[in-house]
Each structure stands twice: as structure tokens, then as C-alpha cells.
Amino acid sequence: MADQTPKNRPLTEEELQDLVASSDAGARDPAGGVGTLLAVVAVVWSLFQVLLASPLANYVFPGDVINNSRQIHLAFAVFLAFMAYPAFKSSPRAYIPMADWFLGLVGAFIAMYGFVFYQKIVDAGGLADDMDKWFALAGLLILFEGARRALGPAMAIIATIFLGYVFFGSSELVPDVIRWKGASLKKAMSHMWITSEGVFGIALGVSTKFVFLFVLFGALLDKAGAGNYFIKMAFGALGHLKGGPAKAAVVGSAATGLISGSSIANVVTTGTFTIPLMKRVGFSSEKAGAVEVASSVNGQIMPPVMGAAAFLMVEYVGISYVEVITHAFLPATISYIALVYIVHLEAVKNNMPTLGNRVVSMGKTIGGMMAFFIGFAALCYGVQFPVGWVAAAAGDAAGLVMAVLIFGGYAALLYLASTVPDLEPDDPNAAEVELPVVGEIYKSGLYFLLPIVVLVYFLMIEQKSPGLSAFWATMLLFVILLTQRPLKSIFRGENETVNAFKQGVGDLIQGLIDGARNMIGIGLATATAGVIVGTVTLTGVGQVMADLVEFLSGGNLILMLVMVGLLSLILGMGLPTTANYIVVSSLMAGVVVELGAQSGLIVPLIAVHLFVFYFGIMADVTPPVGLASFAAAAVSGGDAIKTGFVAFFYSLRTVALPFVFIFNTDLLLIDVTWAQGILVFVTASIAILVFTAGTMGWFLTKSRIYESIALILVAFVLFRPDFVMDRIQPPFQQVEPAMFATALGNATTGDEIRLVVSGPDFDTGETKETTLVLPVSEGSADERLAASGLLLIEEDGLAKMDEPAFGSPFSDSLSSFDFYGDDPVQIASVNAPADQMPKELVFIPALIFLFFIAFLQRARMSREGVPA
């Protein structure tokens, strides 16, 4: 083809695998005894993490091993980083130079320093002495070099800049606005390496406790054959539709995203099959690559795994894992719905042909897929009832009985799979493309759903910790990998049981190796990001950043959100998603919440973290560095920069959604009932489809400019009905501050009163404002005021405030005010609830207007003789 010039030719399968390896798992793979040794180390690391997450951990490991598991985790990651990642492109790949052996071994030892010298550090009260500081400095330098190899130079450079700020922040060369007193080498190294504030902080703890098990779970599930099964099923269901390969790419990548935390691996895994087929039906190389990029990158926002971010949010936001994925579910789902619609519109606009000779209606396809997902969700939810019956009947033996029942169910599904041929990867370049028939192939992999059901059951129903949930799901995968081949052989009456078992052992070992190698970059990313987080906690630069952003944005919340998004995109050009999320959320999440409160908008912390995360994943798309776009271009033979720009255009809904859910937290299912949640899902789905139609310039037919603008406005109204209703009928009425107690007494239980508090800043002395949301509890006005913890002093007609008691509801929110200065802290304004019609009424005129646009386009189609 014309675009497959020598410069832009598609890479071979071997070159693609090398691309993924060099990005995710390391490009070096030595043979012989050294290769075996490294494989053993990787397997040991995986097994160590599995045992650490197991209920037997306290019996298998001494207490000091469990307490210092972060150090052991980092030791494995640092050692394998120097073994797997060459220092430079010209460095040898077939063997490991002595310098890398030295750095790997020394780095691993220093990572274990807190474990080896645990008693010495405890006796010193956790403070570094002269020997500690030099070991810590050497450890940081080796860590930065490992991060440079595994993650690229940006991570190491940014961490070095932050570390330099710790030492030289008092220099006159540093601008006054961010200058601080500086720290000694001993204090800095103690903070960064000896305590749990820096390298061994929350991020590395999450990597140790949770992330490894989920990455391993994905690697084992893929090794078992689930990835190929999901892709085949997606193509069987969608491949025959107009633009079918692109639609299958979206659904297949969403499913693969559940088991792969890497957008690059997702692009190459699904893209090697989907991209050639997309080109075959008329997509250009760049558009085919862009569809794969957009769908693969979005795999990271899809619950329940979401890369490592979901587990970090649990720690940073302080809510349960179930709450995190509940809040993340709706935006991720409608984002994928929009992407399917985007590729549908591309196919319709260009009148693309269909693949294969099967004719199946779109309605039946959508109905079948909805039935599957509803059925799967019902299965995950409904399994609790038979489990409860077994637990009641079997008592202490319930665990054993459940294990037998699960294995029985697995054996039954495996027997079903043995009645059909095993799925083999198809050749997308074959002369005749035979699309899989779902009715014929679905039996071959139904048992792959069992570990996912187990995972979701423990996470959502039992609400066990993510680590323990992943442990039980991983244990089931161990069983599947070891037994699926030999049991199929027995069921089919073949005499290959022993060889099949050996193959199963090989699959399990390779899955353990893959899981460990895939974790090297994440382990180093979370450890290096700990230096940045440690700098924030040591220097207090977070508050300085708040002041700087407030100054640059002029206090405008939307402008500030744009700046945060741009910061995420810029940092993400060189940082992996997880590291980017840690850095930006550590610096900016609190700033957004604080400035939002000053603007009168109460922004939930989870909304800000999801906002940062969404823009972090966009960096994998955005030119000039978007790695996923380069990987897709390597598969398609297209231009990488152009692929990135098209992918960014396809991902506009991923850029728009964070701004929407910051201002309309209903999209995050915060404080909504079941009925409201269903309505939000329906209207948000319609809104994202209308927004997509507006930005693509095509609804029922090619849209005129004014129609596209009208569609985007309709989408805005459906997303933000409160914006319109608040202008028709304000939700609050202003009350004089002196009348606050009266307004509090008159309010209905369950209402919210908003107070704007004004007063001098504790640090600067300048007057500032913040907004408090006061839930109205039961009782009299005095009882409600006492429950709030606010201490009012009515003086000179003003509602002055005294410092609230420590631990009271608003003590943290008001801690930055100076209650003992010359100027008082006072209530500047009070907004009491006012009667307002339901904001959902706004949907009616918006939908009528949408039907009017559809009527105009259909009339134009009739006049122009365009078929419907």
C-alpha cells in the first residue's frame, strides 16, 4: 500500500514484541544460565507477592519481613531493572555487563537497608546517622538510574529537580514565591529513604500490597488464553457490522484493558489483528491506528482494575475500593459508548463495506451484548445467595465446600470447551476473512470468566481488600493454567495428558515471569514518585503551589482546571500514567479543592483525583511523545504524529468528561439513589452520543455548522441541567450573616446551608474566603449549631467566629485562618436552601430540540435522496 514506505512500514511480529518488551518489560533477555537465574528471580518475586497477599502471610513470614515488604518489593524491582533494561540503545542485549550486575546487586541491598538495619534505625528513633545518609544518597542515585532505564529520562529528571529543590530551595536563584529554608543532607535522606514519607511511602506500599497481584492476575489470565478469546468474541459479535473491525477493536480493547495495565501492550496485542482489518474496510493507516490507541488507552479508566490508580485513590482519598470503582464506572462506560459511536460515524460517513457475508441486525447485536453484560453483572451479584446458603449449611467447612463447587463448575465449563476446537489466532491478511461465529466459539472460553467473577465477588460483595480478592482470583488462575490442558486432553480422549500438564506448568511459570517483568516499571515509578511526594511533605511546597496557581488563574476555577490538565499532559509526555497521577495529584488535588471552595463550589476529592487521572492517560495519546500512538503507527505503517492527533480528536470526550463531572458530581454517582443513577446513566449516554455527533460533524447525515453547535449545546444541557435550572430558579437564597442561627433553625433536616467564611490567612495575613457546606441535622437551631462545631460571636451586627474545637467537622477546613489577629474571622454570607423545581425538567426541552435537529436532517436527507 502507498503508506507502507520503508520509512513507515508496519513492523514485523518480532519487532512489535521487542517494542512492547523494551517499553514494558525490558529489552534484554539473556540466554543460558544467566537467563535461567533471572527467570528464577522473577518467579520468586511473583510467589513472594502472592504469599504476602495470602491469609497465610502471618504464618509463612516473620513479622519483620511483612513490616518491611516495601523494601523487599523495591529490591526485586531495582535488581531486575538493571538486569532487563540496557543502559543505552547501543548497550548489549545478549548478556549483562558487569557494571549492571554491580548496580543491580548494590541497589537491591540498599533497597533492603531498612530491613537489614531495622533495629539500628528503630534505636535511633527513625533518624538517619552519617552512615545512613550516604547509603540513602547512593540508593536514590541508583533508583533514579533504574527509573531512567525503565521509564525514560523524564521521571529521573523531574525527581532530581525536586530533590535539588530540597537542598537548594533557599538559594537566591530560586524565585521568592517558592523559596524555602532548605534541608541538610542528613535530614533530607532520613525523610526520603529511612522514613515512610519518601521512597517507601504510600505509593510504593500500594504497589506492594495491591498492584502486583492485579498485574500478575492480568498476565496469568492472558497466558491462559483469555485475551485471544475476548478479541474473537468481539469480532464475532461486531465484525460483520459497518466499520465492524473498528467496533470490535473498541470492545476487544476494553476487555483486554481489564487484564492489561499497559496501553502499549494493549495496542500491540489487539492492534496486530484489528488494525489490518480496519484498513481493509477503508480506514486509513492513521485512523485505524488512532481507533486502536483511543480504545486501548481508555482501558486504563475501565473498572475494576484501572491500572494502579484505583488502589492509589483508595489511600489518597481515604474511601473504600468499592466506592472508587463505583464513582469511576459511569464516565468510563459512556466514554466507550461514545468511542463505538465515533467509529460507527466514520464508517457511515465513508460508506465503508462490511466484512464477511453474514447479515445480522445492529439491534440484535446490541441487544445480545446488553443481555450478556446484564447477565454477567447479575451472576456476579447473584452468586452471593448460593454462597450464603453453603456457608449456613456447611459451617466451618464452607471454604472447602466452596472450593470443591468452584472446581466442579470449572470442570463442567472446561468439558464444554473441550467439545469445540481451541481458538487459534487468525491471520488478518488472509485473502478471505472468516469472522468467528459467537454461537460456535463462546463455549471455548466461558471458564475464563470464573476468575473475574471470583475477583468481582470478593471486591464488591464480600468487600475484602483488593490484595486478598486478587489473591483468591489468582489462585484459581493457578489451577486453570495447570489443569486446562491436561483436563481437555482427558475429556477429548487424547493420550497427551502428561505433555499437556508439562505445557501447563510452563504456561504458569511464564505467566509468573511476565507478571514480575511487567511490574518492574510500576515498582520503580511508585518509588521514584515517592521522592516528589516526600519533597511536598518536607518543604510545604504544596501550599506554595496553591498560591502560585491561584495567582496564575486569578482564582478562576475553570482556568485552574485547564492548567492542571495541561500540567498532566506535559508531565505525561515523559512519565507513565501511574507516576504522572501520583505527581500531579500530590501537587494539585488539594489546590483544586481549596480554590473550588473559595469559588463557592464544593469539589469532592475523588472528582479531582479522577480529573487528574483522565488527563494523565491522555498523555499516552498526545503528540509528540504519545507512546501508544507510536506503537499503533508501528503496527499500521502510518505516520505516528498524525496518528496521535487523530487519536486525540477521537478522545475529545475523555478530555471533556473530567470538566463535566467536576461540576456535576451526579456523573460519579455521588449521593444519588438507584432511580437517579439509572436516569443519570441514560441521559449521560444520550449526552455523550450527541456530543460525539456534534464534534464529528455527522448526526443522521452530514451536519451543518449551526447543527453541530446546536448538538454540542444540547449535550451540555443534558450533562449540566443544574446550570440551566439555577439560572431559572436559584437553589439558594441569601440571608444576612447575623440571621444565620435563625436560618439554621428554619431549615429542613437533610438540607444544606452554605456559608462563605472570610478572614485573615494564618501565613500571609491577607484576607481570603472559603465556602463551607453545613448539613442540617435534627434538633433545634442551638443543637444544630453545636453539632457543626462552629463557635459564633455576634458582635457589632457581625457574625464573628472563634476557632472551632480540634476534631470538629470544620476544624481542618478553617485551620488556615488566623483567629487571633486584629481582623476577625467572620461569616461573610449565608445561602439557605430555596424551593427549586427538579433540574431534570430541563431534559424535556433539550430532547425536544434534539428531535427537531433530527427532523431537519431527515427532511434534508429526503430532499437529497439520501437513504435512511
Side-chain angles (χ1 to χ4, degrees):
M1 296 181 69
D3 59 349
Q4 293 179 17
T5 60
K7 181 180 178 181
N8 287 331
R9 67 174 179 82
L11 299 188
T12 65
E13 179 65 24
E14 185 177 344
E15 289 171 325
L16 287 171
Q17 293 307 320
D18 184 63
L19 171 68
V20 176
S22 60
S23 300
D24 289 340
R28 189 187 281 147
D29 195 10
V34 173
T36 303
L37 172 64
L38 298 184
V40 169
V41 172
V43 170
V44 169
W45 188 16
S46 290
L47 293 177
F48 167 74
Q49 296 287 165
V50 169
L51 283 172
L52 188 66
S54 76
L56 300 175
N58 291 323
Y59 304 99
V60 175
F61 296 123
D64 53 350
V65 168
I66 296 174
N67 293 336
N68 293 282
S69 57
R70 298 179 188 183
Q71 284 87 340
I72 299 171
H73 179 81
L74 183 59
F76 275 113
V78 168
F79 176 74
L80 288 175
F82 285 99
M83 299 300 102
Y85 290 90
F88 306 102
K89 288 184 178 179
S90 58
S91 299
R93 295 189 175 196
Y95 68 92
I96 302 171
M98 288 303 298
D100 286 358
W101 278 107
F102 175 78
L103 288 171
L105 290 169
V106 171
F109 171 74
I110 298 178
M112 297 271 286
Y113 188 84
F115 174 61
V116 176
F117 297 102
Y118 179 74
Q119 194 58 48
K120 168 181 171 295
I121 293 170
V122 169
D123 293 342
L127 301 175
D129 58 22
D130 287 332
M131 182 178 83
D132 296 338
K133 74 179 182 184
W134 294 114
F135 271 100
L137 181 60
L140 282 177
L141 294 176
I142 292 174
L143 174 63
F144 289 178
E145 168 58 13
R148 182 194 69 80
R149 295 186 183 199
L151 308 167
M155 186 82 214
I157 290 171
I158 293 170
T160 302
I161 291 171
F162 272 80
L163 193 61
Y165 173 69
V166 170
F167 296 126
F168 306 112
S170 59
S171 168
E172 293 183 0
L173 298 175
V174 177
D176 287 343
V177 69
I178 60 171
R179 191 177 299 167
W180 86 297
K181 63 182 181 180
S184 66
L185 180 64
K186 185 182 291 187
K187 180 175 179 59
M189 292 302 101
S190 176
H191 191 81
M192 295 297 179
W193 200 269
I194 304 302
T195 71
S196 60
E197 293 291 330
V199 169
F200 299 100
I202 289 174
L204 188 63
V206 169
S207 177
T208 306
K209 288 193 296 182
F210 306 140
V211 179
F212 193 106
L213 264 291
F214 279 85
V215 170
L216 179 62
F217 174 78
L220 293 174
L221 194 57
D222 187 54
K223 197 65 188 173
N228 185 43
Y229 176 70
F230 292 153
I231 294 171
K232 290 262 195 179
M233 288 289 288
F235 263 88
L238 299 166
H240 57 279
L241 300 174
K242 184 166 286 198
K247 292 169 183 170
V250 174
V251 175
S253 293
T256 306
L258 296 176
I259 63 175
S260 170
S262 166
S263 54
I264 298 168
N266 198 341
V267 165
V268 173
T269 300
T270 58
T272 48
F273 183 63
T274 61
I275 289 175
L277 289 178
M278 280 189 267
K279 291 168 66 177
R280 197 161 176 160
V281 297
F283 282 86
S284 68
S285 295
E286 286 77 19
K287 285 187 175 180
V291 169
E292 185 58 54
V293 169
S295 51
S296 294
V297 167
N298 271 232
Q300 294 184 77
I301 65 174
M302 199 69 192
V305 179
M306 296 170 60
F311 314 112
L312 289 162
M313 287 179 198
V314 170
E315 301 294 330
Y316 289 153
V317 181
I319 60 179
S320 72
Y321 183 80
V322 173
E323 289 176 287
V324 168
I325 60 178
T326 299
H327 299 323
F329 172 75
L330 182 54
T333 302
I334 64 174
S335 181
Y336 265 108
I337 290 172
L339 189 52
V340 172
Y341 190 47
I342 285 172
V343 298
H344 173 70
L345 291 179
E346 283 284 9
V348 171
K349 283 164 65 177
N350 296 286
N351 196 26
M352 293 180 181
T354 57
L355 274 180
N357 52 15
R358 281 193 295 130
V359 178
V360 180
S361 72
M362 173 75 90
K364 286 185 177 179
T365 299
I366 294 174
M369 292 184 66
M370 288 183 64
F372 170 77
F373 286 115
I374 292 171
F376 183 70
L379 175 64
C380 293
Y381 178 77
V383 74
Q384 62 182 306
F385 299 110
V387 169
W389 300 332
V390 170
D396 294 338
L400 180 61
V401 173
M402 281 307 306
V404 171
L405 289 175
I406 290 172
F407 186 82
Y410 159 64
L413 292 175
L414 197 62
Y415 176 78
L416 193 65
S418 69
T419 62
V420 295
D422 292 336
L423 297 181
E424 298 293 337
D426 291 323
D427 179 10
N429 298 308
E432 292 291 330
V433 177
E434 282 291 328
L435 292 176
V437 178
V438 172
E440 296 174 1
I441 67 167
Y442 78 95
K443 299 177 184 178
S444 64
L446 281 177
Y447 62 94
F448 291 135
L449 299 178
L450 271 178
I452 300 173
V453 170
V454 169
L455 178 65
V456 173
Y457 170 76
F458 276 105
L459 281 174
M460 303 295 291
I461 307 300
E462 291 282 344
Q463 297 196 11
K464 300 294 186 185
S465 73
L468 186 61
S469 303
F471 166 78
W472 288 117
T474 301
M475 284 295 96
L476 180 53
L477 274 173
F478 275 31
V479 173
I480 289 174
L481 280 163
L482 288 173
T483 62
Q484 64 172 344
R485 291 180 185 272
L487 285 178
K488 278 185 182 179
S489 175
I490 293 170
F491 292 148
R492 289 170 177 165
E494 300 169 349
N495 294 321
E496 293 292 324
T497 306
V498 175
N499 290 334
F501 180 74
K502 288 179 180 178
Q503 283 182 292
V505 172
D507 288 341
L508 176 58
I509 291 173
Q510 189 58 51
L512 293 170
I513 294 170
D514 291 346
R517 291 192 69 145
N518 291 343
M519 269 303 298
I520 296 171
I522 296 175
L524 293 180
T526 51
T528 311
V531 174
I532 297 162
V533 177
T535 300
V536 173
T537 58
L538 179 61
T539 65
V541 73
Q543 184 57 46
V544 175
M545 289 293 291
D547 297 338
L548 182 61
V549 170
E550 183 178 12
F551 171 75
L552 293 175
S553 65
N556 184 292
L557 183 61
I558 293 179
L559 184 56
M560 181 188 59
L561 289 171
V562 170
M563 292 171 61
V564 173
L566 288 174
L567 176 63
S568 296
L569 285 176
I570 293 167
L571 288 179
M573 289 180 180
L575 302 186
T577 303
T578 302
N580 186 5
Y581 163 71
I582 295 169
V583 173
V584 180
S585 63
S586 300
L587 289 174
M588 304 306 301
V591 179
V592 174
V593 172
E594 182 180 337
L595 295 187
Q598 291 180 20
S599 304
L601 179 69
I602 306 304
V603 184
L605 191 55
I606 182 64
V608 184
H609 279 261
L610 285 170
F611 180 95
V612 170
F613 181 56
Y614 268 57
F615 274 92
I617 69 163
M618 284 301 297
D620 273 350
V621 176
T622 313
V625 190
L627 296 178
S629 298
F630 278 86
V635 178
S636 71
D639 180 83
I641 300 298
K642 190 175 179 183
T643 299
F645 277 115
V646 177
F648 182 81
F649 176 71
Y650 287 165
S651 301
L652 279 178
R653 81 254 179 253
T654 311
V655 176
L657 274 173
F659 286 96
V660 174
F661 62 60
I662 284 284
F663 291 95
N664 180 11
T665 55
D666 286 355
L667 284 174
L668 302 180
L669 302 180
I670 294 176
D671 296 330
V672 297
T673 63
W674 271 98
Q676 290 172 324
I678 293 170
L679 180 62
V680 168
F681 177 77
V682 172
T683 53
S685 299
I686 296 171
I688 201 73
L689 294 176
V690 173
F691 175 80
T692 300
T695 54
M696 292 291 289
W698 193 284
F699 187 30
L700 301 182
T701 186
K702 185 176 182 180
S703 299
R704 291 171 178 168
I705 294 294
Y706 63 86
E707 291 174 334
S708 292
I709 294 171
L711 287 169
I712 292 173
L713 288 175
V714 169
F716 175 79
V717 173
L718 291 174
F719 272 133
R720 291 288 316 278
D722 56 310
F723 180 86
V724 178
M725 185 57 75
D726 288 354
R727 274 139 192 84
I728 298 171
Q729 200 174 24
F732 295 100
Q733 58 183 352
Q734 276 214 327
V735 177
E736 287 295 321
M739 301 297 292
F740 166 58
T742 303
L744 185 61
N746 294 335
T748 305
T749 301
D751 281 346
E752 291 180 344
I753 292 182
R754 299 195 171 204
L755 311 177
V756 177
V757 177
S758 173
D761 183 271
F762 187 82
D763 295 319
T764 66
E766 297 179 0
T767 301
K768 69 172 191 175
E769 291 184 345
T770 192
T771 301
L772 305 180
V773 176
L774 177 63
V776 178
S777 58
E778 294 183 357
S780 64
D782 290 339
E783 290 170 335
R784 290 171 172 177
L785 188 61
S788 72
L790 298 176
L791 303 176
L792 299 185
I793 306 169
E794 294 189 16
E795 206 172 77
D796 303 326
L798 300 176
K800 298 181 181 179
M801 302 181 69
D802 204 350
E803 184 173 16
F806 178 76
S808 60
F810 297 107
S811 59
D812 289 340
S813 305
L814 298 175
S815 61
S816 59
F817 284 93
D818 184 2
F819 287 88
Y820 305 101
D822 294 333
D823 296 323
V825 177
Q826 60 182 324
I827 298 177
S829 66
V830 178
N831 286 322
D835 291 332
Q836 187 187 52
M837 293 183 293
K839 63 184 178 183
E840 289 79 11
L841 291 175
V842 174
F843 294 149
I844 297 172
L847 292 174
I848 291 173
F849 193 47
L850 178 62
F851 285 124
F852 176 68
I853 299 170
F855 173 77
L856 289 179
Q857 293 206 352
R858 188 167 288 278
R860 190 163 70 248
M861 290 168 66
S862 298
R863 288 196 305 269
E864 296 171 357
V866 178

